[in-house]
């Protein structure tokens, strides 16, 4: 039996990982659960660790397919359209999925920062349909190998093939199974997607709060993924990660990212939090309240106009629901204040920064780029408002009017890539990607994506001394402005293409009639 495997992570650091499942009852929540039965939040952290610790660790790398594996095999079979009977039979037979391993060391210690008071840039990543907290392990693990702590939630909105909720009282579990919905833009489909988004946005706020607890180190939280009665913030035993005072959670510093429906989630989350005051006072009585964080929630100070955002293959259809038009009409938060200043010139870690002011990076596969409606609406989401229709701002300062030479948000696509190229599936099923989706080199796609995101994060300056350069010839400089309008890079970056955005380009393009994506 041939077992697919991952290439080594791209950065210079070894990678550790830890799973968390925390009871919702222990996390201060600013709103009630949007759906009954979701009693925990679940996420995995990928982080840099010492190579010596990784090589001498008694812990092994983790399995890509979570436990209980037979449930996940059955769930994936059902997700692919097999009958319940066949799916159940397959789940009890040995298969290659059960042996795939992620090259990250379970519970390895966190690598010490280079500066005593320095903290690691922190990224929160939302998965797409059919994903889990493991299905973007190579992308997130590679970012961690460059010095970025990555948090991968597993959403309980029935978008994962299955998600198992542990019960801390009687040790039983609850299975949340995948719910298939059509991709047609019908009212009932919009409603179903909005219900999923409500769960996802609620989870993101709780996960951010949980990360604050881990970073504070003095508020114990029960981690059901650990052994019984072991709290995630109690003093860690030797060989386990301690995140106390290591996460950069300063206002506007958390990097928000997602793929496909996960990118949709991030767009709606940023807008919902940033514009919460103006949304709450809207005169549109039909507006669907995706999420309402309390005024006292710390998430409000985190989401700013400078919040770094990385969107992979943004799925735009759910954004076009008439019930969330109040959100569509609002531009991304990055257009509500002047762009951040450039990093200090004497910062030794900014040898190849992106142009100052870029706070949003969007990357499309050529598959998504080929759909005219998706491309048009993606450009609309990312483009600045026109001067005649400036964006509202939560502060008292007047909004700015970006010029057509837009550098606040940038959009690129990679040639010969598919939607699945952004996830682990592109690497694990290369033969299928090549045969049916004509993707010649799935590893190249992720290699360039990781290089671009590392360059993007390093360009902010803060915490960049902890982020290693890509170290890949031809990758640095991917975010330069010289290739706007269709130019390509040479070498490794060949096939990486800039897509121009337009002043006022976000008006219109909400019509999704006849489009299934």
């Amino acid at each position: 039996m041939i077992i697919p495997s991952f290439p080594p992570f791209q950065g210079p650091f070894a990678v550790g990982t830890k799973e968390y499942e925390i009871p919702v009852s222990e996390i201060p929540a600013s709103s009630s659960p949007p759906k009954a039965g979701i009693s925990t939040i679940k996420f995995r952290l990928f982080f840099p660790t010492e190579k010596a610790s990784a090589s001498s660790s008694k812990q092994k790398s983790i399995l890509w397919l979570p436990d209980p594996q037979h449930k996940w095999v059955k769930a994936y079979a059902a997700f692919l359209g097999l009958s319940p009977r066949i799916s159940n039979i397959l789940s009890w037979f040995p298969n290659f999925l059960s042996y795939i391993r992620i090259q990250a060391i379970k519970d390895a210690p966190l690598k010490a920062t280079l500066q005593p008071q320095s903290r690691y840039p922190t990224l929160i990543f939302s998965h797409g349909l059919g994903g889990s907290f493991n299905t973007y392990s190579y992308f997130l693990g590679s970012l961690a190998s460059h010095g970025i702590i990555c948090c991968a939630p597993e959403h309980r909105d029935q978008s994962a093939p299955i998600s198992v909720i542990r019960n801390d009282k009687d040790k039983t579990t609850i299975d949340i199974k995948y719910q298939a919905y059509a991709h047609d833009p019908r009212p009932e489909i919009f409603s179903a997607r909005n219900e999923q988004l409500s769960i996802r946005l609620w989870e993101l706020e709780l996960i951010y709060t949980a990360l604050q607890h881990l970073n504070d180190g003095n508020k114990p939280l029960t981690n059901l993924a650990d052994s019984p009665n072991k709290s995630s913030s109690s003093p860690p035993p030797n060989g386990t990660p301690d995140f106390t005072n290591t996460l950069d959670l300063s206002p506007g510093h958390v990097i928000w990212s997602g793929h496909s429906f996960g990118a949709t989630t991030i767009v709606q989350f940023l807008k919902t939090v940033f514009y919460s005051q103006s949304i709450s006072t809207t005169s549109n009585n039909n507006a669907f309240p995706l999420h309402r964080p309390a005024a006292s929630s710390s998430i409000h100070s985190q989401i700013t106009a400078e919040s770094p955002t990385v969107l992979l293959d943004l799925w735009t259809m759910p954004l076009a629901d008439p019930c969330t038009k109040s959100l569509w009409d609002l531009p991304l938060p990055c257009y509500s204040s002047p762009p951040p200043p450039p990093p200090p010139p004497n910062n030794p870690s900014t040898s190849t920064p992106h142009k100052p002011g870029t706070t949003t990076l969007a990357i499309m596969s050529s598959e998504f780029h080929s759909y005219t409606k998706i491309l048009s609406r993606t450009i609309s989401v990312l483009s600045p408002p026109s001067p005649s229709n400036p964006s509202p701002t939560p502060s008292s300062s007047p909004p700015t009017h970006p010029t057509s030479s837009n550098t606040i948000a940038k959009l690129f696509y990679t040639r010969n890539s598919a939607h699945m190229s952004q996830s682990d599936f592109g690497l694990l099923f290369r033969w299928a990607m090549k045969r049916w989706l004509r993707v010649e080199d799935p590893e190249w796609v992720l290699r360039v994506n990781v290089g671009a995101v590392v360059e993007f994060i390093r360009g902010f300056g803060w915490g960049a001394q902890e982020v290693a350069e890509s170290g890949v010839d031809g990758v640095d400089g991917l975010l330069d402005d010289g290739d706007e309008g269709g130019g390509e890079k040479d070498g490794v970056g060949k096939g990486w293409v800039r897509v121009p955005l337009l002043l006022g380009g976000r008006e219109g393009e909400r019509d999704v009639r006849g489009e299934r994506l």
Side-chain angles (χ1 to χ4, degrees), residues 47 129 135 182 202 255 267-268 285 305 321 332 425 439 462 472:
F47 50 88
L129 300 179
T135 49
W202 172 76
I255 305 131
V267 168
Q268 299 296 63
N285 294 326
D321 180 15
L332 290 174
F425 296 108
V439 178
W462 36 256
V472 180

Side-chain angles (χ1 to χ4, degrees), residues 130-402:
S132 72
F133 67 172
N134 279 357
T135 49
Y136 298 86
S137 66
Y138 184 76
F139 175 72
L140 298 178
S142 288
L143 293 179
S145 71
H146 283 91
I148 302 159
I149 294 180
C150 298
C151 174
E154 184 168 288
H155 294 296
R156 268 60 184 276
D157 64 332
Q158 296 186 283
S159 64
I162 190 173
S163 188
V164 180
I165 297 180
R166 298 177 175 96
N167 190 318
D168 61 333
K169 295 181 180 179
D170 54 14
K171 310 308 176 186
T172 60
T173 59
I174 300 174
D175 297 343
I176 298 182
K177 298 181 180 180
Y178 180 79
Q179 176 62 58
Y181 294 110
H183 283 49
D184 297 329
R186 303 194 306 267
E188 61 270 25
I189 300 301
F190 280 135
S191 177
R193 294 303 183 195
N194 281 336
E195 289 180 5
Q196 289 181 302
L197 285 168
S198 293
I199 295 172
R200 285 167 163 251
L201 270 57
W202 172 76
E203 289 174 321
L204 286 180
E205 183 183 352
L206 289 181
I207 286 170
Y208 172 71
T209 304
L211 293 179
Q212 287 183 304
H213 283 246
L214 292 178
N215 195 52
D216 291 342
N218 55 4
K219 300 177 181 178
L221 294 173
T222 301
N223 185 7
L224 300 179
D226 280 338
S227 57
N229 302 320
K230 182 179 176 182
S231 61
S232 61
S233 291
S234 59
N238 293 333
T240 61
D242 179 9
F243 296 102
T244 303
N245 296 324
T246 60
L247 307 177
D248 188 352
L249 304 182
S250 301
H253 281 202
V254 169
I255 305 131
W256 301 93
S257 182
H259 173 241
S260 191
F261 194 39
T264 307
T265 302
I266 295 302
V267 168
Q268 299 296 63
F269 183 67
L270 294 177
K271 288 187 177 184
T272 295
V273 175
F274 188 78
Y275 295 113
S276 58
Q277 185 174 0
S278 58
I279 293 174
S280 64
T281 58
T282 180
S283 59
N284 182 5
N285 294 326
N286 295 322
F288 187 92
L290 292 176
H291 182 57
R292 288 176 175 168
S296 59
S297 174
S298 60
I299 194 64
H300 290 289
S301 62
Q302 179 55 240
I303 305 299
T304 72
E306 291 79 30
S307 290
T309 307
V310 178
L311 306 173
L312 307 180
D313 263 355
L314 171 64
W315 182 32
T316 56
M317 190 274 282
L319 301 175
D321 180 15
C323 291
T324 56
K325 185 177 184 298
S326 58
L327 285 178
W328 174 271
D329 290 341
L330 295 167
L332 290 174
C334 61
Y335 293 116
S336 290
S337 74
N346 60 348
N347 190 325
S349 65
T350 56
S351 56
T352 57
H354 60 78
K355 188 172 182 178
T358 303
T359 62
T360 300
L361 171 64
I363 304 173
M364 299 183 79
S365 64
S366 57
E367 179 183 3
F368 259 40
H369 183 267
S370 67
Y371 291 104
T372 304
K373 280 289 187 181
I374 292 180
L375 174 60
S376 179
R377 288 201 308 272
T378 298
I379 291 175
S380 182
V381 169
L382 296 171
S383 293
S386 63
S388 61
N389 185 26
S391 60
T393 174
S395 66
S396 58
S397 59
T400 58
H401 304 306

Side-chain angles (χ1 to χ4, degrees), residues 18 44 71 77 90 136 138 185 191 241 299 377 478 480 511:
K18 186 167 182 61
R44 177 177 296 285
K71 288 186 176 182
L90 288 176
Y136 298 86
Y138 184 76
S191 177
I299 194 64
R377 288 201 308 272
L478 289 174
D480 292 343
D511 185 10

